[in-house]
Amino acid sequence: MRITAGNMHFRELNEQIRACPDAEIEIDGCLGQRYIGSGLADKTLLVGGIPGNALGAYLDGGTIVTEGNAQDAAGDTMNDGAIIIHGSCGDGAGYAMRGGKIYIHGDVGYRAGIHMKAYRGKLPVLVVGGTAGSFLGEYQAGGVIVVLGLRRPAGTPLTGYFCGTGMHGGKMFLRCPERPEGLPERIRAAEASAADLTEIGGDLDEFCAAFGEDRRELLAERFWVLTPDGENLYRRLYTSV
């Protein structure tokens, strides 16, 4: 089924999506409508145009693919499924996500992956092809964040300020030649081993398949793995069961 969004109110658009019996829906001419695919569990959405805030919020098993950019809070509190963004994404991508995968070909704004957590055996994954803004992985409690820095101009930082502040679980993989600077005191940063890279190998394969990238090129540069130390005071405030 094909739906032309145009000036349609976001409520009407989402009602049409929920009512559609088809497993795959194409949305043309999206003009910032919010909450597209919210709570989706069993459909694939192909979004043309620019979706608004909270794309795929509470996603629970569906797949959402955008042809270009997405705005803030994509994948907010998502539980399962996949969001594939062929452009860049605004702030708060993957906020509190506890399962599923978000692949972003371009850059991402501030506070991507904050409060991300592993939950009941689920392992959320956020892969950013470009660069990330400040507060990446703030209070991360679980899951995996990967920032690749593809084609970033010389002198452009891979991440903004306060990367990993309050991080107390999960892992962050940063692809850059030198050890990242300005990390919080309670974060360990080590060059990724072959075993570390094996952990994200499947996600790199899926990222490359989605966006036409070359896995060998990705692995030709160093990765650094960020993990919290054992004394982080926030750990007991979150559950991973």
Side-chain angles (χ1 to χ4, degrees), residues 76-110:
D76 183 353
T77 324
M78 68 183 286
N79 189 54
D80 207 344
I83 298 176
I84 300 170
I85 298 170
H86 280 260
S88 294
C89 191
D91 298 339
Y95 177 90
M97 65 184 294
R98 55 188 182 180
K101 299 180 179 184
I102 301 176
Y103 297 148
I104 301 166
H105 197 200
D107 303 325
V108 72
Y110 294 167

Side-chain angles (χ1 to χ4, degrees), residues 37-218:
S38 178
L40 193 74
D42 56 357
K43 291 181 172 67
T44 295
L45 302 184
L46 307 176
V47 183
I50 306 297
N53 291 350
L55 173 72
Y58 307 104
L59 191 68
D60 197 26
T63 298
I64 301 174
V65 182
T66 75
E67 69 174 12
N69 300 329
Q71 295 185 22
D72 298 344
D76 183 353
T77 324
M78 68 183 286
N79 189 54
D80 207 344
I83 298 176
I84 300 170
I85 298 170
H86 280 260
S88 294
C89 191
D91 298 339
Y95 177 90
M97 65 184 294
R98 55 188 182 180
K101 299 180 179 184
I102 301 176
Y103 297 148
I104 301 166
H105 197 200
D107 303 325
V108 72
Y110 294 167
R111 288 189 161 88
I114 71 168
H115 293 290
M116 178 189 285
K117 58 183 72 70
Y119 184 71
R120 294 189 182 276
K122 295 183 177 182
L123 186 73
V125 176
L126 170 64
V127 182
V128 178
T131 61
S134 297
F135 299 100
L136 174 70
E138 184 182 30
Y139 302 116
Q140 183 182 353
V144 174
I145 298 173
V146 183
V147 183
L148 299 173
L150 294 172
R151 291 175 287 278
R152 64 183 167 122
T156 301
L158 184 65
T159 68
Y161 298 111
F162 312 115
C163 176
T165 298
M167 181 184 184
H168 54 97
K171 292 184 177 181
M172 195 179 302
F173 291 78
L174 303 181
R175 179 177 172 270
C176 50
E178 305 296 334
R179 184 186 187 278
E181 298 181 354
L183 297 175
E185 291 183 3
R186 294 182 181 273
I187 296 295
R188 299 190 186 102
E191 187 172 352
S193 66
D196 291 323
L197 294 175
T198 297
E199 290 184 35
I200 61 171
D203 296 304
L204 293 181
D205 287 340
E206 291 179 7
F207 180 91
C208 289
F211 304 122
E213 295 292 349
D214 186 339
R215 189 178 195 271
R216 291 172 298 179
E217 179 184 339
L218 298 185

